[in-house]
Amino acid sequence: MVSDRAPGYVLGDDDPALARLDALSRVYAPATAAWLDTAGLAPGATVVDLGCGLGAVTLAAAERVGPTGRVIGVDAAARPLEVARRRAAAAGHRTVVLEQADVTTWEPPGPVDAVLGRLLLLHLADPVALVARMAGLVRPGGVVAFSDVVLPTRAAHPPLPLLTAFNGWLLTTFERLGVPVDAGLRLTAVYRTAGLPDPVLSAGQPLERGGGATGWAIVAGDATSLLPAFERTGVATAAEVGAEDLEQRLRAQAAAADAVLVNPLLVGAAARLP
């Protein structure tokens, strides 16, 4: 299947969730840059970044299209957009526009040259519908580019008991909620079903070492945000997760084992329309 019934974004927009988004952007900056380079955003292009969050992809796109281009970031949550607006202003990106809207129904004021979305499709009930609809708003010769993760690829070497437990909680919860855990590997199928050309794929899987890895903050942030879902689906209790000090315990285990953290694979897809 390429159109799972996902319940929507379940990771929150409070302070811990925003810190998690920042950590994600740091860890996946090189993989994101490779994906955007594959997309081939041209100077002067008009670009839409769906599910823009704190604006990391939005600002990276703005760097590529330059002062003659325009980037519109769209997100349903107000608080991340406030941060994104401050960061765009601080970076001097006067042609960046950030709008609060439902990405499944929002439309730009006119045709655009590219549509982007990072870590978005796995949260949607019908990713094919969104990709097809947005592709219809892109000019001929324009680009449709989405990227997503493959969550089962997260691991530690040597294995760490706490990370093994977290992986089980996360994957089982997403399975019960209908959220695809391998969304990155479904991108080509999504594009084909949406009637797009086969995309060019890129991939990156950041490796970090020891207790100082940024990825431990991502794991702990996910656990905090998903704790209600863990409990609601019967996967784990608050006492089992221990979210209040999970990050510290993960870091301690990683430091003691000098473990390598393999963050989830990020797959990028970019297709140029006829």
Side-chain angles (χ1 to χ4, degrees):
M1 293 179 62
V2 293
S3 296
D4 293 84
R5 295 299 304 170
Y9 190 72
V10 293
L11 289 168
D13 68 348
D14 55 1
D15 287 343
L18 298 187
R20 169 190 168 276
L21 291 177
D22 260 337
L24 273 169
S25 291
R26 292 194 303 274
V27 167
Y28 286 106
T32 297
W35 164 59
L36 292 177
D37 289 344
T38 299
L41 304 179
T46 298
V47 178
V48 172
D49 177 23
L50 297 174
C52 64
L54 301 176
V57 173
T58 308
L59 299 189
E63 293 287 346
R64 285 163 170 77
V65 302
T68 61
R70 186 178 187 225
V71 183
I72 306 168
V74 184
D75 202 280
R79 296 192 65 230
L81 287 172
E82 293 171 4
V83 177
R85 289 189 183 101
R86 291 197 299 269
R87 292 178 177 178
H93 292 303
R94 299 182 182 276
T95 58
V96 168
V97 177
L98 293 148
E99 299 187 13
Q100 184 177 4
D102 181 345
V103 298
T104 64
T105 57
W106 178 89
E107 292 190 4
V112 300
D113 299 299
V115 171
L116 311 174
R118 184 182 71 173
L119 303 177
L120 171 67
L121 296 183
L122 82 161
H123 298 293
L124 300 184
D126 192 347
V128 171
L130 177 84
V131 172
R133 185 175 70 83
M134 294 308 299
L137 302 172
V138 175
R139 294 185 179 95
V143 174
V144 177
F146 288 88
S147 66
D148 236 311
V149 285
V150 184
L151 290 170
T153 60
R154 180 190 274 126
H157 298 279
L160 301 179
L162 267 179
L163 184 63
T164 299
F166 169 80
N167 284 340
W169 301 329
L170 176 70
L171 298 178
T172 303
T173 297
F174 274 16
E175 179 183 0
R176 292 180 182 179
L177 291 176
V179 177
V181 298
D182 58 350
L185 298 180
R186 301 182 183 215
L187 289 171
T188 296
V190 168
Y191 276 56
R192 286 177 178 172
T193 307
L196 275 65
D198 280 353
V200 176
L201 300 179
S202 62
Q205 188 162 21
L207 303 180
E208 302 181 275
R209 180 178 174 184
T214 301
W216 300 125
I218 298 171
V219 172
D222 283 355
T224 299
S225 296
L226 287 168
L227 183 57
F230 289 167
E231 295 190 297
R232 187 169 68 251
T233 56
V235 169
T237 66
E240 289 173 311
V241 175
E244 64 282 351
D245 65 349
L246 179 63
E247 182 175 346
Q248 291 83 353
R249 289 182 288 131
L250 282 164
R251 292 188 184 280
Q253 283 192 3
D258 194 21
V260 172
L261 172 62
V262 182
N263 289 287
L265 178 69
L266 180 73
V267 179
R272 191 165 295 277
L273 303 184

